[in-house]
Each structure stands twice: as structure tokens, then as C-alpha cells.
Amino acid sequence: MGMGTRARGMIGGAVASLSLAVFAATPAWAQPLMGQPTPDGIGLQPAASPLKEQAHFFHNIILLPIITVICLLVLGLLGWIVIRYNAKRNPTPAKWSHNTMVEIIWTVVPVLILVFIALFSFRLLFAYHNMPEPDLTVKVTGNQWNWAYEYPDQGVPEYISNMLPADQTTPQLFRLAADEPMVVPVGQTVRLLVTASDVIHAVAVPAFGVKIDAIPGRVNETWFRAERPGIYYGQCSELCGVDHAFMPIQVNVVSQAEFAAWVASKGGSMTPASAEAAPGGTAAQVAAGTTGAPVTGTASTGPTTEEGAAIPTAQTATTPTAQPAAAPATAPAAPAAQ
């Protein structure tokens, strides 16, 4: 009995100390930073997209209670076995070694727990793959050791995003801030087409719940929708080489007007004229354009008629409405120069 009393006292003291530590640390946990790591913080970054909100629910409401109950149950069983079945209280060990009911319980219960977790896990996985109609497409290419971004819908050519040096940012944001961030409008569904040019990289932005591999020769797809303006940071999460730690991802979420101004500053356009002018664009984006409008970035838009419609030229990609007459199989050879 003495040993049991001492053991219960030690367990009670440990629980009290843990509770005091949790209580003392609570104020530090209550102020997490949005879009970046929190010093001395605990838990996931605050959610800034619907996908991350679902991931928070899955982690905090489903997984944490289950693992907490399991840990407490195992701890309780260990304590009970140590106290109840120690050598002092049982000088003569029992001879039995199996219990059919116990073995059935510890086989069936874990299976049921995993099936329960799978129901929510598959729902979250389906949400990642069930992308809504995208409003914006960004092609992301991982390089050793920086990121390249391209906006095919708006005609923004590829640009390189490098890490800001320590003297151009704060200690908190060193190795997180970038000189040329990705810019997206708030409240819009952003489709990411992710690939790599050399080795395997990975795009990870915790506030959006985004983490996907960038693999050479393959294009992976994911999406997010930022629900509030701000600056959000991520990093390459795949060991890609000696400068792996110098591949930050900075995403600036701005208003629609600010995004349009940024696109214009990059030489792009918010109103693509046709599907050919906006590869990867959606039907809604194409419908927003004006037929025959000049396409930014082309060498020539060609002449127009009095009504303003563009006349197809050799430099203009058009879809013929009828098949032209068959051309000769071969063209006559030019006379040789004398």
C-alpha cells in the first residue's frame, strides 16, 4: 500500500506541474502570427483559406482527442500494471499467458479507430482534389535554388523570386521574405501548376494548407483561396540541395484593384481576348475579353476592318471556319543563284 500511495502522489504532482506549465504558457499561445511562424508558439499556423480550416478541424477536433485518449489510456494501464502487478505485491507470478477477450479488444478497437479517422481523412483529401472553377492560374517552377512564377492567363511572363538578404529584412522574416513574391487577389480561387527544372522541390505555404511536390518532367496541381489580405510565407519542404534553406515562398494577397495594377506593371493584361491569348484560362475569363482586342506581348495585332474586327494574319492564331482548298503537295523550287 505504501508504494501505491507514493506512486499516486508522484503522478498527482507531475499532473499538477504539467497543468501549471500549460497555464503559464497559455498567454504566449494566444497570440499566433498570421502567415508566419510564431516564436515559442505551439500548434498549427492560423488558417487563411478554407482548406486550412478543414485541416484544423481534422487535426484539432478529430486527431488530437483520439491521440490524447490513447496516450492517457496507455499511461493509466502502465501505471496500474506497475502498481498492481509489481514483484513486491505478487511474489508468486501467475502462470497464464493469454486472454482471448483482451486480444479481440486490442485488435478490433484500433481498426474501428482507423476507420473513423479515415472517414474525415478522405473527406479532406477529396476537398484538395475537388478544385472549384479557378479564377487565376499560377505556374510555379522550382529551381536550384529559387522559385519562378508565371501567370499565363494574364500574360505575365516568368520571373524569378529569390530570398532577401539579412540586411534587407527583419530577423523574424530572414529566409522567409522574397524579393519578387507571388501576388494573388483576395477571395479568388488560385490554381497552382507546380513543376521543377532540375531536382525535386516542394511548395509549402502553411497558412493556406498547401504542400505539394515539384517534380521535373511532371506538373502537379493544387489550389487555395486566401480569405484575407496580407503577406504569407512558406518554404521549400523537400531536401533539394546545399542551398535548400534559401528557397522561401512569399505570397502577397491584395485587393482586385491592386492585383490589376501589379499585372499591368508586369506587362500583362486582365482581359484576354481569346482562348489562344490566355492559355489555361477559364471560359469566364475568356468571355470577359473583347474580341479583336490587342494582345499584350505579341509582335503585331494585324490590321482591322472598319468595324474594328481583327483581320487574320500569318502572325495571328485563329481557328478557321472552313477548310481552305487543298494546297499543292510541294512548292516549286526557287532557281539557283547564278
Side-chain angles (χ1 to χ4, degrees), residues 105-121:
I105 291 174
W106 74 35
T107 302
V108 173
V109 172
V111 171
L112 295 178
I113 293 174
L114 292 177
V115 170
F116 177 77
I117 293 175
L119 296 177
F120 297 91
S121 177

mmCIF file of all heavy atoms in Angstrom, residues 105-121:
data_model
loop_
_atom_site.group_PDB
_atom_site.id
_atom_site.type_symbol
_atom_site.label_atom_id
_atom_site.label_comp_id
_atom_site.label_asym_id
_atom_site.label_seq_id
_atom_site.Cartn_x
_atom_site.Cartn_y
_atom_site.Cartn_z
ATOM 1 N N ILE A 105 -10.195 -7.343 -28.153
ATOM 2 C CA ILE A 105 -10.402 -5.908 -27.946
ATOM 3 C C ILE A 105 -9.259 -5.102 -28.554
ATOM 4 O O ILE A 105 -9.478 -4.128 -29.277
ATOM 5 C CB ILE A 105 -10.545 -5.602 -26.438
ATOM 6 C CG1 ILE A 105 -11.870 -6.181 -25.918
ATOM 7 C CG2 ILE A 105 -10.479 -4.103 -26.187
ATOM 8 C CD1 ILE A 105 -12.038 -6.052 -24.418
ATOM 9 N N TRP A 106 -8.009 -5.501 -28.295
ATOM 10 C CA TRP A 106 -6.901 -4.682 -28.790
ATOM 11 C C TRP A 106 -6.672 -4.880 -30.294
ATOM 12 O O TRP A 106 -5.821 -4.216 -30.886
ATOM 13 C CB TRP A 106 -5.636 -4.888 -27.985
ATOM 14 C CG TRP A 106 -4.861 -6.179 -28.164
ATOM 15 C CD1 TRP A 106 -4.685 -6.914 -29.291
ATOM 16 C CD2 TRP A 106 -4.099 -6.832 -27.148
ATOM 17 N NE1 TRP A 106 -3.892 -7.979 -29.061
ATOM 18 C CE2 TRP A 106 -3.495 -7.961 -27.745
ATOM 19 C CE3 TRP A 106 -3.853 -6.584 -25.807
ATOM 20 C CZ2 TRP A 106 -2.685 -8.845 -27.042
ATOM 21 C CZ3 TRP A 106 -3.038 -7.454 -25.118
ATOM 22 C CH2 TRP A 106 -2.475 -8.575 -25.718
ATOM 23 N N THR A 107 -7.406 -5.777 -30.935
ATOM 24 C CA THR A 107 -7.373 -5.893 -32.394
ATOM 25 C C THR A 107 -8.518 -5.128 -33.042
ATOM 26 O O THR A 107 -8.323 -4.400 -34.022
ATOM 27 C CB THR A 107 -7.432 -7.370 -32.817
ATOM 28 O OG1 THR A 107 -6.333 -8.083 -32.242
ATOM 29 C CG2 THR A 107 -7.393 -7.500 -34.329
ATOM 30 N N VAL A 108 -9.723 -5.257 -32.501
ATOM 31 C CA VAL A 108 -10.897 -4.655 -33.120
ATOM 32 C C VAL A 108 -10.953 -3.143 -32.877
ATOM 33 O O VAL A 108 -11.244 -2.367 -33.793
ATOM 34 C CB VAL A 108 -12.182 -5.340 -32.596
ATOM 35 C CG1 VAL A 108 -13.421 -4.611 -33.100
ATOM 36 C CG2 VAL A 108 -12.211 -6.799 -33.027
ATOM 37 N N VAL A 109 -10.659 -2.716 -31.662
ATOM 38 C CA VAL A 109 -10.771 -1.281 -31.344
ATOM 39 C C VAL A 109 -9.843 -0.422 -32.192
ATOM 40 O O VAL A 109 -10.272 0.596 -32.750
ATOM 41 C CB VAL A 109 -10.537 -1.058 -29.839
ATOM 42 C CG1 VAL A 109 -10.446 0.436 -29.535
ATOM 43 C CG2 VAL A 109 -11.664 -1.689 -29.029
ATOM 44 N N PRO A 110 -8.547 -0.757 -32.367
ATOM 45 C CA PRO A 110 -7.712 0.055 -33.262
ATOM 46 C C PRO A 110 -8.234 0.109 -34.696
ATOM 47 O O PRO A 110 -8.126 1.149 -35.360
ATOM 48 C CB PRO A 110 -6.339 -0.619 -33.189
ATOM 49 C CG PRO A 110 -6.326 -1.288 -31.863
ATOM 50 C CD PRO A 110 -7.733 -1.749 -31.652
ATOM 51 N N VAL A 111 -8.786 -1.000 -35.187
ATOM 52 C CA VAL A 111 -9.347 -0.994 -36.542
ATOM 53 C C VAL A 111 -10.512 -0.015 -36.641
ATOM 54 O O VAL A 111 -10.621 0.763 -37.593
ATOM 55 C CB VAL A 111 -9.790 -2.422 -36.943
ATOM 56 C CG1 VAL A 111 -10.581 -2.385 -38.248
ATOM 57 C CG2 VAL A 111 -8.575 -3.329 -37.081
ATOM 58 N N LEU A 112 -11.396 -0.034 -35.646
ATOM 59 C CA LEU A 112 -12.525 0.893 -35.647
ATOM 60 C C LEU A 112 -12.052 2.343 -35.564
ATOM 61 O O LEU A 112 -12.618 3.230 -36.215
ATOM 62 C CB LEU A 112 -13.460 0.562 -34.484
ATOM 63 C CG LEU A 112 -14.161 -0.803 -34.544
ATOM 64 C CD1 LEU A 112 -15.020 -1.012 -33.297
ATOM 65 C CD2 LEU A 112 -14.995 -0.934 -35.805
ATOM 66 N N ILE A 113 -11.008 2.579 -34.769
ATOM 67 C CA ILE A 113 -10.473 3.939 -34.663
ATOM 68 C C ILE A 113 -9.922 4.398 -36.012
ATOM 69 O O ILE A 113 -10.170 5.533 -36.454
ATOM 70 C CB ILE A 113 -9.386 4.005 -33.572
ATOM 71 C CG1 ILE A 113 -10.011 3.776 -32.191
ATOM 72 C CG2 ILE A 113 -8.655 5.346 -33.610
ATOM 73 C CD1 ILE A 113 -8.992 3.691 -31.077
ATOM 74 N N LEU A 114 -9.180 3.542 -36.702
ATOM 75 C CA LEU A 114 -8.623 3.908 -38.001
ATOM 76 C C LEU A 114 -9.711 4.145 -39.037
ATOM 77 O O LEU A 114 -9.595 5.044 -39.873
ATOM 78 C CB LEU A 114 -7.660 2.825 -38.471
ATOM 79 C CG LEU A 114 -6.354 2.675 -37.668
ATOM 80 C CD1 LEU A 114 -5.534 1.516 -38.193
ATOM 81 C CD2 LEU A 114 -5.548 3.959 -37.723
ATOM 82 N N VAL A 115 -10.766 3.343 -39.012
ATOM 83 C CA VAL A 115 -11.882 3.557 -39.948
ATOM 84 C C VAL A 115 -12.542 4.901 -39.672
ATOM 85 O O VAL A 115 -12.878 5.654 -40.601
ATOM 86 C CB VAL A 115 -12.898 2.400 -39.839
ATOM 87 C CG1 VAL A 115 -14.168 2.730 -40.620
ATOM 88 C CG2 VAL A 115 -12.279 1.105 -40.348
ATOM 89 N N PHE A 116 -12.724 5.246 -38.402
ATOM 90 C CA PHE A 116 -13.315 6.539 -38.048
ATOM 91 C C PHE A 116 -12.445 7.693 -38.543
ATOM 92 O O PHE A 116 -12.940 8.670 -39.114
ATOM 93 C CB PHE A 116 -13.490 6.612 -36.528
ATOM 94 C CG PHE A 116 -14.033 7.921 -36.038
ATOM 95 C CD1 PHE A 116 -15.380 8.227 -36.168
ATOM 96 C CD2 PHE A 116 -13.186 8.845 -35.459
ATOM 97 C CE1 PHE A 116 -15.880 9.437 -35.724
ATOM 98 C CE2 PHE A 116 -13.672 10.057 -34.997
ATOM 99 C CZ PHE A 116 -15.022 10.359 -35.134
ATOM 100 N N ILE A 117 -11.123 7.584 -38.350
ATOM 101 C CA ILE A 117 -10.220 8.629 -38.838
ATOM 102 C C ILE A 117 -10.262 8.714 -40.359
ATOM 103 O O ILE A 117 -10.220 9.805 -40.942
ATOM 104 C CB ILE A 117 -8.793 8.351 -38.342
ATOM 105 C CG1 ILE A 117 -8.718 8.516 -36.813
ATOM 106 C CG2 ILE A 117 -7.780 9.275 -39.016
ATOM 107 C CD1 ILE A 117 -7.368 8.139 -36.230
ATOM 108 N N ALA A 118 -10.351 7.564 -41.028
ATOM 109 C CA ALA A 118 -10.339 7.552 -42.491
ATOM 110 C C ALA A 118 -11.525 8.305 -43.074
ATOM 111 O O ALA A 118 -11.410 8.923 -44.135
ATOM 112 C CB ALA A 118 -10.321 6.113 -43.001
ATOM 113 N N LEU A 119 -12.678 8.276 -42.407
ATOM 114 C CA LEU A 119 -13.851 8.982 -42.922
ATOM 115 C C LEU A 119 -13.565 10.473 -43.075
ATOM 116 O O LEU A 119 -13.889 11.077 -44.107
ATOM 117 C CB LEU A 119 -15.040 8.762 -41.985
ATOM 118 C CG LEU A 119 -15.542 7.321 -41.840
ATOM 119 C CD1 LEU A 119 -16.668 7.259 -40.811
ATOM 120 C CD2 LEU A 119 -16.007 6.775 -43.177
ATOM 121 N N PHE A 120 -12.930 11.078 -42.092
ATOM 122 C CA PHE A 120 -12.609 12.508 -42.162
ATOM 123 C C PHE A 120 -11.378 12.767 -43.018
ATOM 124 O O PHE A 120 -11.285 13.802 -43.684
ATOM 125 C CB PHE A 120 -12.403 13.046 -40.747
ATOM 126 C CG PHE A 120 -13.620 12.961 -39.879
ATOM 127 C CD1 PHE A 120 -13.847 11.850 -39.089
ATOM 128 C CD2 PHE A 120 -14.555 13.985 -39.876
ATOM 129 C CE1 PHE A 120 -14.980 11.767 -38.284
ATOM 130 C CE2 PHE A 120 -15.684 13.906 -39.080
ATOM 131 C CZ PHE A 120 -15.901 12.800 -38.288
ATOM 132 N N SER A 121 -10.446 11.827 -43.010
ATOM 133 C CA SER A 121 -9.241 11.993 -43.819
ATOM 134 C C SER A 121 -9.579 11.992 -45.308
ATOM 135 O O SER A 121 -9.086 12.827 -46.073
ATOM 136 C CB SER A 121 -8.245 10.876 -43.499
ATOM 137 O OG SER A 121 -7.105 10.977 -44.312
#
